[in-house]
Amino acid sequence: MPSPQSVNELIIITGMSGAGKSVAIRSFEDLGYYCIDNLPPALLPTFLNLMKESKKEISRIAAVMDLRGGDFFSSLIEALDRIEREDLVATKILFLDADDETLVSRYKETRRSHPLSENGLPLTGIHHERELLADVKERAQYIYNTSSMKPRELRQRIIAQFSGVDSRKFTVNVMSFGFKYGMPIDADLVFDIRFLPNPYYIEELRPKTGLDEEVSSYVLKYEETNTLIEKLMDLFEFMIPLYKKEGKTQLIIAFGCTGGQHRSVTLAEYFGSHLDQHAPTVITHRDIAKRKG
């Protein structure tokens, strides 16, 4: 008889159709997870029992489960309850979401129809899917809104979140954004830094961003900027250990200026590089490429 195999981590990747599940499963594959695409939820407990008896050295599994799995929504909840009841494996759900406008745009780009859209209109299927997925989303430990994420950024966030042996490893995502493009809906902490001196009004700095040394030096040279940094660093160093103690797995900190080009990028880069001593850190610049003209 083969010795029982210890599968000690299962990540279920689910969420809205078009929100990035294909990118996610490839990212987990790069991290060394045993990956399964389109596993019917009803077969999940059976699959885990087979893995326990297998000779394969598999300890971490990532599985995409979505509409293609047939009677998906009810059977997934039932499978999760059974896994928890029989204590088969530590299971976490990664739920990928995006706003309606983004999802409709992605369907138009790919010229695909939504699997739940009977009349051919993507928005009808999207609304129906949201209703059906509400219970699954409620149970998710990780919820990523990919509306403003490029595939590379989604991959970086997954790698930062799940690269450790322990999937509960705490990570910090520091984001810059422009208020003119809307507030980030998935941020835990949002800081409006539009009161800082604006490089936009310096002609030679206007076309540059906070990634350029000239812009970052301009923003960081002011006393109010350094006072803000000092106070926020004290706040973050106080809060991060408490978030970890509470069991939170990620903290998303967003800095917003007018256009998301100069001040917010500068501070996101600064805190992203200084907070990595407290937790693995990912830096995201949501609106840095949206400048018009």
Side-chain angles (χ1 to χ4, degrees):
M1 292 254 330
S3 59
Q5 175 60 43
S6 176
V7 178
N8 54 39
E9 182 182 4
L10 169 65
I11 305 296
I12 295 176
I13 305 165
T14 188
M16 296 297 294
S17 301
K21 293 189 288 289
S22 296
V23 173
I25 195 65
R26 290 196 296 269
S27 303
F28 278 100
E29 191 171 26
D30 291 341
L31 286 172
Y33 282 73
Y34 183 88
C35 294
I36 311 163
D37 192 12
N38 192 22
L39 176 67
L43 298 180
L44 182 57
T46 302
F47 171 77
L48 291 174
N49 282 320
L50 289 174
M51 286 295 98
K52 283 189 173 184
E53 299 174 1
S54 172
K55 293 181 180 180
K56 293 178 178 281
E57 293 295 324
I58 299 173
S59 61
R60 300 192 298 170
I61 298 173
V64 171
M65 298 184 186
D66 55 23
L67 292 171
R68 296 169 296 167
D71 185 18
F72 167 73
F73 302 102
S74 59
S75 59
L76 178 55
I77 296 296
E78 184 179 336
L80 291 172
D81 288 340
R82 178 179 169 186
I83 290 170
E84 184 176 338
R85 185 170 60 250
E86 298 180 9
D87 197 23
L88 294 176
V89 66
T91 305
K92 304 294 179 186
I93 300 175
L94 169 59
F95 189 98
L96 299 179
D97 200 356
D99 59 50
D100 291 353
E101 183 180 356
T102 299
L103 293 174
V104 170
S105 176
R106 289 174 183 174
Y107 273 105
K108 287 184 177 180
E109 289 174 2
T110 60
R111 300 190 178 183
R112 295 169 52 222
S113 60
H114 192 282
L116 293 179
S117 180
E118 297 179 358
N119 58 9
L121 298 177
L123 196 56
T124 302
I126 289 168
H127 288 165
H128 187 199
E129 187 177 20
R130 283 200 190 283
E131 294 175 1
L132 293 173
L133 278 172
D135 290 342
V136 177
K137 185 176 182 180
E138 185 71 23
R139 295 183 65 148
Q141 287 78 21
Y142 310 96
I143 301 175
Y144 292 177
N145 188 300
T146 66
S147 300
S148 58
M149 284 189 192
K150 295 179 181 179
R152 174 181 56 84
E153 293 170 338
L154 174 57
R155 181 179 183 278
Q156 288 177 342
R157 184 164 177 182
I158 288 173
I159 289 174
Q161 184 88 61
F162 296 95
S163 58
V165 175
D166 183 359
S167 66
R168 293 183 60 82
K169 187 175 182 180
F170 184 88
T171 61
V172 176
N173 190 310
V174 186
M175 174 193 301
S176 70
F177 73 96
F179 277 97
K180 66 189 295 184
Y181 302 113
M183 292 270 287
I185 63 175
D186 54 348
D188 298 300
L189 302 172
V190 178
F191 296 95
D192 182 352
I193 59 171
R194 287 175 290 185
F195 62 88
L196 296 179
N198 193 351
Y200 178 85
Y201 296 108
I202 309 299
E203 186 174 353
E204 61 270 23
L205 299 182
R206 185 175 303 168
K208 299 180 183 295
T209 73
L211 297 178
D212 296 300
E213 194 276 333
E214 303 97 312
V215 172
S216 61
S217 294
Y218 177 87
V219 175
L220 294 173
K221 73 179 182 180
Y222 287 93
E223 180 179 354
E224 51 262 57
T225 305
N226 287 282
T227 300
L228 174 66
I229 287 174
E230 181 180 352
K231 292 181 180 297
L232 287 182
M233 191 62 75
D234 285 343
L235 176 66
F236 297 150
E237 289 177 348
F238 168 75
M239 294 177 70
I240 287 176
L242 296 178
Y243 276 125
K244 291 180 181 178
K245 183 179 180 180
E246 183 193 6
K248 190 175 178 67
T249 57
Q250 62 175 327
L251 175 66
I252 304 176
I253 303 170
F255 293 96
C257 60
T258 304
Q261 307 291 319
H262 302 106
R263 295 165 290 180
S264 61
V265 173
T266 297
L267 262 67
E269 287 289 323
Y270 181 90
F271 282 103
S273 62
H274 285 74
L275 291 176
D276 62 358
Q277 59 185 305
H278 301 284
T281 305
V282 178
I283 303 173
T284 305
H285 301 301
R286 193 191 75 177
D287 300 324
I288 197 169
K290 292 183 179 178
R291 180 190 285 117
K292 302 295 190 295

